[in-house]
Amino acid sequence: MNTKEEFYLKYKFAKQMLETEINILIEEFVFKHGYNPVEHVKSRIKSEESIMKKLEKKDYDKTLDNIVSHIHDAVGLRIVVSFLSDVYDIVSVIKKSKNLIVVDQKDYIKDPKETGYTSYHLNVLVPIYLEDKVSSLEAEIQIRTIAMDFWASLDHKIQYKFPNEIPLDVKEKMFENSLIIKELDKQMMHLNEVVNKYDNKK
Ligand code: 0O2
């Protein structure tokens, strides 16, 4: 590994490559299906402070090599879609990409985290084309519905407000709300299918 600046520059390139590839895949999907399932896409590079905190939590030395080996979401991209079925359509599109190699996947929609967190996570290798060589870096893509994103965003605020221990009543309420979100996502998807059938009859 080279200097710290060069190291973070590679993460910047990986983020740019990932954004471009995802935007192309989405545009291609819209062209093929005449429908845009994506509400918005957001990407970020994890701050150095958060990376170091995560290494500490995982009990690893704070080295650049350990970031590459153990921090799988230093580059992260989130795709927020309208309906539950859109999540799986987008996952399947990404899996078919010739430029991204899927190295891990977690379906937290099928198996939610104990907090109630739901999302589909895909870890991919993103190619980076440098002047003298081609290398790759791992990035995490989170795909979720607007309802799941609503839940996760409040949960994130709660985690920030209570860094040590989240009060039990808040935890329980969030878990209850995750079940409501799950039901709402199902209902909205079914209603959308009904609405689409009306369109077809015209
Ligand atoms: P931030 O600030 O969003 O980046 P690891 O990433 O190694 O800790 P694991 O199991 O390999 O753990 O990764 P996982 O759980 O697949 O993905 C971790 C990321 O998922 C988190 O990153 C969050 O973005 C999101 N996530 C996981 N669980 C929850 C949850 O209960 N609530 C919310 N709001 N988000 C969750 P970071 O680095 O923790 O946070």
Side-chain angles (χ1 to χ4, degrees), residues 91 95 102-108 120-124:
V91 167
K95 282 184 179 173
V102 176
V103 288
D104 196 12
Q105 57 179 318
K106 291 172 195 149
D107 187 348
Y108 293 129
Y120 200 109
H121 290 192
L122 279 176
N123 283 73
V124 295

Side-chain angles (χ1 to χ4, degrees), residues 110-199:
K110 208 170 100 220
D111 300 306
K113 287 206 148 183
E114 61 177 21
T115 53
Y117 174 79
T118 53
S119 256
Y120 200 109
H121 290 192
L122 279 176
N123 283 73
V124 295
L125 290 182
V126 184
I128 327 171
Y129 301 97
L130 302 171
E131 197 182 25
D132 50 346
K133 64 173 180 169
V134 182
S135 60
S136 65
L137 269 181
E138 189 172 340
E140 182 183 84
I141 307 176
Q142 301 181 343
I143 306 125
R144 54 170 79 140
T145 63
I146 319 172
M148 292 172 198
D149 196 48
F150 181 38
W151 186 96
S153 125
L154 176 57
D155 189 59
H156 206 264
K157 274 188 212 154
I158 293 170
Q159 286 179 23
Y160 194 78
K161 194 165 167 79
F162 305 104
N164 299 321
E165 182 70 41
I166 298 170
L168 190 62
D169 59 328
V170 177
K171 258 192 207 170
E172 284 175 352
K173 196 70 202 161
M174 278 307 278
F175 186 77
E176 245 175 63
N177 287 349
S178 77
L179 301 179
I180 298 173
I181 290 285
K182 186 177 174 183
E183 186 53 33
L184 180 66
D185 261 334
K186 258 195 227 163
Q187 297 282 344
M188 294 297 263
M189 183 176 71
H190 290 145
L191 183 57
N192 184 51
E193 284 162 8
V194 171
V195 170
N196 284 344
K197 277 188 193 134
Y198 271 97
D199 280 346

Side-chain angles (χ1 to χ4, degrees), residues 16-170:
Q16 287 171 351
M17 285 296 294
L18 183 60
E19 281 166 355
T20 304
E21 177 63 11
I22 292 297
N23 285 334
I24 290 172
L25 292 173
I26 294 169
E27 267 197 50
E28 207 183 359
F29 183 97
V30 175
F31 180 75
K32 266 194 203 156
H33 298 88
Y35 158 69
N36 190 351
V38 176
E39 294 287 334
H40 62 263
V41 177
K42 203 173 157 188
S43 56
R44 61 106 180 91
I45 297 176
K46 211 176 184 67
S47 69
E48 201 179 332
E49 193 194 343
S50 309
I51 291 178
M52 293 309 161
K53 259 193 207 158
K54 207 160 176 171
L55 276 181
E56 206 175 296
K57 204 171 124 199
K58 290 174 171 231
D59 240 357
Y60 290 113
D61 291 339
K62 292 170 183 169
T63 64
L64 296 182
D65 284 341
N66 277 345
I67 299 178
V68 175
S69 309
H70 304 294
I71 303 296
H72 309 288
D73 63 345
V75 174
L77 182 139
R78 184 172 299 144
I79 306 174
V80 175
V81 298
S82 315
F83 303 105
L84 197 53
S85 51
D86 298 331
V87 172
Y88 292 95
D89 284 345
I90 292 296
V91 167
S92 133
V93 161
I94 295 171
K95 282 184 179 173
K96 282 186 208 141
S97 161
K98 299 274 182 290
N99 298 314
L100 303 174
I101 299 168
V102 176
V103 288
D104 196 12
Q105 57 179 318
K106 291 172 195 149
D107 187 348
Y108 293 129
I109 299 173
K110 208 170 100 220
D111 300 306
K113 287 206 148 183
E114 61 177 21
T115 53
Y117 174 79
T118 53
S119 256
Y120 200 109
H121 290 192
L122 279 176
N123 283 73
V124 295
L125 290 182
V126 184
I128 327 171
Y129 301 97
L130 302 171
E131 197 182 25
D132 50 346
K133 64 173 180 169
V134 182
S135 60
S136 65
L137 269 181
E138 189 172 340
E140 182 183 84
I141 307 176
Q142 301 181 343
I143 306 125
R144 54 170 79 140
T145 63
I146 319 172
M148 292 172 198
D149 196 48
F150 181 38
W151 186 96
S153 125
L154 176 57
D155 189 59
H156 206 264
K157 274 188 212 154
I158 293 170
Q159 286 179 23
Y160 194 78
K161 194 165 167 79
F162 305 104
N164 299 321
E165 182 70 41
I166 298 170
L168 190 62
D169 59 328
V170 177

